[in-house]
Amino acid sequence: MSILIMMKEGGSLNIDTIGNKPIDEDIDFLPDTDGKLELISTIVADGTATSVAFTSMQEATYRTHLLTTTASSPTGHFNMRLSNNGGSSYISSANYYKINRYGNVTGSDKGLSRYSADTEIEYFVGTDNSSTDKLGWGYTWLNDLGQASQYSQFTQMAGGHNTNNNLDYYAFGGGQLAIAEVHNAMQIYNNRGANITGIFSLYGLKAE
């Protein structure tokens, strides 16, 4: 597999293939425009549900979104799926791709992880965060959700606490849902069906 990663000032992370599937557009690291962030919605998860969902993403207004998260769960980790029908259902076909560089604070575990033709984006918020007092976190740029002729893409920085070895982990990478259509809702959920606690805020980037 050929992988080309190039970072440049102002803005983009180029990956020529993810899971042997070509990407025609740059994955934006930072949008190549001036603008300001406008809060769309904040969800406070109080530990009584296994998922949170954004069903009004205003994808026709904003081409770039930012999702900020701080969250915890007593077991498992957090995955993500997108929807094309406002959240009535979420896409579970094997069209999700992700690649990221990860490591822990001691450098004893590090590498490149890749998910090809998956049914979800795994480890979307932090790492193996099986703890109620250690918060996983993430900053995720989402692009082209409202573009019917483009794949929906994301670039992310995230981290969390791994209770298997009691170390903090950090990751940077990106991915896409390789279906060219409008995606207008997003669900984040615990992979083991456990309740989650945290704050999830979605912003739109308004060009000026």
Side-chain angles (χ1 to χ4, degrees):
M1 178 186 298
S2 170
I3 299 177
L4 171 64
I5 300 180
M6 179 180 68
M7 295 185 68
K8 63 184 180 181
E9 183 180 358
S12 62
L13 169 69
N14 298 325
I15 304 176
D16 66 337
T17 59
I18 292 182
N20 289 319
K21 198 171 187 70
I23 297 177
D24 296 326
E25 296 290 326
D26 288 348
I27 299 177
D28 289 339
F29 177 52
L30 290 175
D32 298 322
T33 181
D34 295 328
K36 63 179 181 179
L37 291 173
E38 297 183 335
L39 179 64
I40 296 173
S41 179
T42 293
I43 299 174
V44 178
D46 61 3
T48 61
T50 63
S51 67
V52 298
F54 292 93
T55 57
S56 178
M57 301 187 70
Q58 300 183 32
E59 71 286 343
T61 301
Y62 305 105
R63 186 161 184 171
T64 297
H65 293 73
L66 173 65
L67 175 70
T68 65
T69 58
T70 55
S72 65
S73 183
T75 186
H77 57 264
F78 298 93
N79 295 344
M80 185 273 283
R81 284 176 173 151
L82 294 173
S83 172
N84 58 13
N85 56 19
S88 295
S89 62
Y90 290 89
I91 299 167
S92 59
S93 59
N95 292 101
Y96 293 92
Y97 294 80
K98 176 185 175 183
I99 185 170
N100 69 271
R101 179 71 62 180
Y102 70 91
N104 63 27
V105 292
T106 66
S108 60
D109 182 17
K110 58 186 176 181
L112 186 71
S113 66
R114 185 181 297 109
Y115 295 87
S116 300
D118 207 346
T119 59
E120 59 201 348
I121 295 293
E122 296 195 57
Y123 293 94
F124 187 68
V125 178
T127 55
D128 189 9
N129 190 35
S130 302
S131 174
T132 55
D133 61 350
K134 301 287 188 179
L135 291 177
W137 57 269
Y139 296 89
T140 306
W141 291 102
L142 300 121
N143 296 283
D144 294 333
L145 296 174
Q147 304 298 310
S149 62
Q150 300 289 335
Y151 293 168
S152 292
Q153 304 169 347
F154 73 92
T155 304
Q156 183 181 63
M157 297 176 63
H161 187 78
N162 187 340
T163 55
N164 294 324
N165 57 14
N166 201 33
L167 291 174
D168 289 331
Y169 276 72
Y170 307 92
F172 168 79
Q176 64 183 4
L177 173 54
I179 303 175
E181 62 183 7
V182 173
H183 299 123
N184 50 21
M186 173 173 56
Q187 182 187 52
I188 301 167
Y189 55 95
N190 182 278
N191 71 315
R192 296 181 181 174
N195 290 339
I196 61 179
T197 302
I199 301 174
F200 303 77
S201 294
L202 182 68
Y203 300 83
L205 181 68
K206 183 176 181 180
E208 291 186 338

